[in-house]
Amino acid sequence: TNKPQNKTLNPYFSLSLSLSSSHLLQAFNSPPATFFHPSPILSLSGSLAEDLAISYLQLFVLPVALAASEAPNSNNQIFATMTLLEQILKASSVPKTNDEPLNYPFTLSSESIIPNLKPFSENPFSPLQPLTGFQISQSDSDLIESNSEFFKKLKRKVKSPHSLTSSSFIKMLNSFLHIIGEKKFGGLDGLGENKDEEGEGYTCKLVEKCGSFIGRDVMGLVIEGCLVLGNWEILKTLIVNKFIVDHGLRSELLYNLVSKGRCDLVSLCLRYFTDLESSDLGRILKCFLSPSKDGCLNMAIVKDEWESDANAAIDKLSNNKKLSGKKLALAKDAALLLMTAYDQFTPSELCLHFMLSPSNVDEVVFSSAVSKLNTDEMLSFVRYLGKWLRKYERFPQVGPCPKAAAKLGLNMCQWVPRLEDVVKSLGLVVDEHFSSLALHSDFHEDLKAVEGVVSSLASEGRLCCSVASLIEILKPEIGGV
């Protein structure tokens, strides 16, 4: 209704639309030979395909349909657009398999693709045109072939793990990473001189250099090999460098790490993974609140990390002659913050610090994870939150020190939960488990203690607000004097 009359099309509309379509298809891991006949879409999860299809419909299909309705041959143009949309939705219903290598396992280099894309026709008034000139660079083609060959070779080995040893796995992975280094960078800047080295430390250096070009299909097999053979340092390197980007691989990895009691690597995932699902967070919460025997042993690694940073902060204050005024003040704040976060907390509770502090954990997702806790786990979590509230009541001067990580190298400062994080988490527990908290007598004593601390903090907060308001009122008068 109320369609504008005499509407003219932007001459650049067709080209920009075609380029946008090219980007969309690249996101689906499928290079567009033409816009009308896209290649089959591969390895696309259902929810992602549906979301992208809806976005595509809103951003591209509707504007094109409006423009095409005023142009000749509009039926063909709309049909071509809807054909792509149908392929996107069709791909969402195809289950993902890891039996065959992907055709395009990693992000292609756009430098040799985008400049060569040209519209099929020079007619500036055509609202929708196919593109020509799409061609993958030779280096990317070689890497795709290498990924495919290594996938098939490693797949055979992983299927029969009795024939795969840690040394043979490392040797295979090193050889594959050398090929990536040679084809993508023309060398490995000295790393290639140690081709016969079989140590895990050398492999970690190669992964840091070339890990971003490991295909998603190969990445799944590498993770599986590390889990089976216990090559934890390689796995740690993949996590820290954020090379594990597929959500399915992340969830599967977290499930296996929890099953094996590797709480140290689970806490590492919390620091470097984003957009975790509620099932993953719930699994992690249960892992920390009711750890297995192996989990308790590996939590000592996390405890050592906190203790190391706390001691480092104390050492920096002891050698305060090397620090300037601002850095010295920052070191004092960081030392107090780390002391508060470390003292009187158990190894299990030190792992929970990472659960509360990340800003990338959505509140709704975290609330869903909290709802899956049983009575004992919920009681442990409430006591942990109460311990934090008492800490902030005792040390009201403690506050976040995000700059300490970059300026002083005290990385744990960025993972200390703030008071608002603790209060928000307590509120979620009360919302999700109100009836259990009210009916179970085991909670009453802990909740009364928490209520007293919260009341004390609230009254102190009201007093601070009153003082702040008084300062704002007096400022103009002081300025006038």
Side-chain angles (χ1 to χ4, degrees):
T1 59
N2 300 325
K3 185 172 66 175
Q5 300 297 322
N6 301 323
K7 182 176 179 181
T8 59
L9 296 174
N10 189 322
Y12 298 101
F13 176 76
S14 173
L15 181 58
S16 63
L17 177 61
S18 300
L19 289 176
S20 300
S21 304
S22 172
H23 294 159
L24 181 68
L25 286 171
Q26 282 188 29
F28 293 151
N29 195 35
S30 175
T34 66
F35 180 68
F36 291 109
H37 304 287
S39 303
I41 301 166
L42 304 174
S43 300
L44 192 62
S45 64
S47 59
L48 177 60
E50 186 177 349
D51 292 342
L52 289 173
I54 293 172
S55 299
Y56 175 76
L57 177 65
Q58 294 173 337
L59 294 175
F60 300 116
V61 175
L62 296 181
V64 170
L66 178 61
S69 65
E70 301 177 1
N73 302 322
S74 59
N75 292 334
N76 293 335
Q77 291 162 340
I78 296 178
F79 175 78
T81 305
M82 294 307 295
T83 300
L84 175 60
L85 182 60
E86 289 168 0
Q87 289 202 32
I88 295 170
L89 293 173
K90 184 179 179 181
S92 67
S93 62
V94 179
K96 288 183 65 175
T97 61
N98 198 28
D99 296 330
E100 295 295 331
L102 298 176
N103 291 339
Y104 306 97
F106 54 84
T107 304
L108 302 176
S109 175
S110 61
E111 296 178 359
S112 59
I113 297 177
I114 300 298
N116 296 324
L117 294 178
K118 296 179 182 179
F120 182 78
S121 171
E122 297 296 332
N123 181 8
F125 297 102
S126 177
L128 188 63
Q129 295 187 29
L131 291 172
T132 60
F134 185 91
Q135 186 174 1
I136 302 173
S137 66
Q138 187 61 43
S139 62
D140 282 348
S141 298
D142 293 340
L143 281 179
I144 291 171
E145 184 178 354
S146 299
N147 263 278
S148 178
E149 292 175 357
F150 184 67
F151 174 87
K152 294 174 182 177
K153 183 179 179 181
L154 188 57
K155 184 73 175 177
R156 289 194 299 269
K157 292 287 186 180
V158 171
K159 279 186 175 180
S160 54
H162 60 275
S163 64
L164 185 64
T165 63
S166 179
S167 59
S168 62
F169 172 71
I170 289 176
K171 188 174 181 179
M172 288 174 59
L173 184 56
N174 286 355
S175 177
F176 173 60
L177 293 172
H178 280 131
I179 293 173
I180 293 179
E182 292 293 335
K183 291 184 177 180
K184 198 66 185 178
F185 306 108
L188 290 170
D189 299 330
L191 288 175
E193 298 174 0
N194 303 316
K195 288 187 177 181
D196 296 330
E197 190 170 338
E198 297 182 359
E200 197 172 1
Y202 174 65
T203 306
C204 291
K205 294 179 182 178
L206 290 176
V207 170
E208 289 177 0
K209 177 74 174 178
C210 309
S212 59
F213 297 99
I214 298 177
R216 288 179 293 133
D217 47 358
V218 173
M219 182 66 73
L221 293 177
V222 171
I223 292 172
E224 186 176 350
C226 291
L227 289 168
V228 171
L229 300 171
N231 295 114
W232 306 117
E233 289 301 318
I234 297 176
L235 198 54
K236 181 178 179 180
T237 304
L238 292 172
I239 295 170
V240 170
N241 288 277
K242 300 182 180 180
F243 291 145
I244 306 173
V245 297
D246 185 85
H247 282 270
L249 288 180
R250 289 181 174 184
S251 293
E252 189 176 350
L253 173 60
L254 283 168
Y255 175 81
N256 285 300
L257 290 176
V258 170
S259 300
K260 291 179 176 292
R262 296 297 310 203
C263 295
D264 55 325
L265 294 179
V266 172
S267 67
L268 198 67
C269 291
L270 272 176
R271 285 178 260 180
Y272 291 97
F273 286 177
T274 56
D275 300 328
L276 292 173
E277 298 178 357
S278 61
S279 58
D280 297 326
L281 290 177
R283 193 174 292 119
I284 294 171
L285 262 177
K286 287 178 173 291
C287 173
F288 291 160
L289 292 170
S290 52
S292 62
K293 184 177 179 181
D294 290 335
C296 292
L297 293 174
N298 289 311
M299 282 177 176
I301 299 174
V302 181
K303 180 182 178 181
D304 291 342
E305 287 187 74
W306 284 101
E307 185 176 354
S308 176
D309 263 27
N311 289 332
I314 295 172
D315 291 340
K316 290 182 183 297
L317 285 177
S318 302
N319 303 321
N320 55 21
K321 294 180 180 179
K322 300 179 181 179
L323 299 176
S324 61
K326 289 186 178 180
K327 278 195 172 182
L328 181 60
L330 182 62
K332 289 180 179 179
D333 293 340
L336 185 59
L337 179 67
L338 290 172
M339 177 271 294
T340 306
Y342 179 76
D343 287 348
Q344 299 177 349
F345 283 107
T346 64
S348 175
E349 292 171 336
L350 290 174
C351 291
L352 283 172
H353 290 356
F354 302 111
M355 199 77 182
L356 264 61
S357 53
S359 57
N360 52 20
V361 175
D362 183 76
E363 184 175 334
V364 176
V365 175
F366 187 70
S367 176
S368 176
V370 168
S371 67
K372 297 178 175 65
L373 298 179
N374 60 34
T375 303
D376 293 335
E377 292 164 348
M378 185 170 46
L379 180 59
S380 298
F381 195 46
V382 169
R383 286 174 177 171
Y384 164 73
L385 295 174
K387 190 179 292 187
W388 260 122
L389 290 174
R390 288 189 291 274
K391 284 288 187 83
Y392 276 113
E393 181 188 32
R394 184 180 177 186
F395 303 103
Q397 70 273 33
V398 171
C401 291
K403 295 181 180 179
K407 294 188 176 181
L408 300 176
L410 303 174
N411 293 320
M412 289 299 181
C413 285
Q414 59 187 323
W415 301 109
V416 179
R418 303 167 300 176
L419 177 59
E420 51 264 44
D421 297 326
V422 176
V423 173
K424 186 185 297 183
S425 299
L426 183 60
L428 291 176
V429 172
V430 173
D431 289 342
E432 293 294 334
H433 297 279
F434 180 80
S435 58
S436 298
L437 294 172
L439 295 175
H440 284 76
S441 58
D442 295 340
F443 293 104
H444 294 174
E445 185 176 347
D446 292 285
L447 289 176
K448 286 179 181 178
V450 168
E451 182 186 9
V453 177
V454 171
S455 300
S456 173
L457 291 171
S459 60
E460 187 174 336
R462 285 192 292 270
L463 176 62
C464 292
C465 291
S466 301
V467 173
S469 301
L470 179 61
I471 292 173
E472 291 297 325
I473 294 172
L474 294 176
K475 271 183 179 179
E477 298 183 13
I478 296 174
V481 174

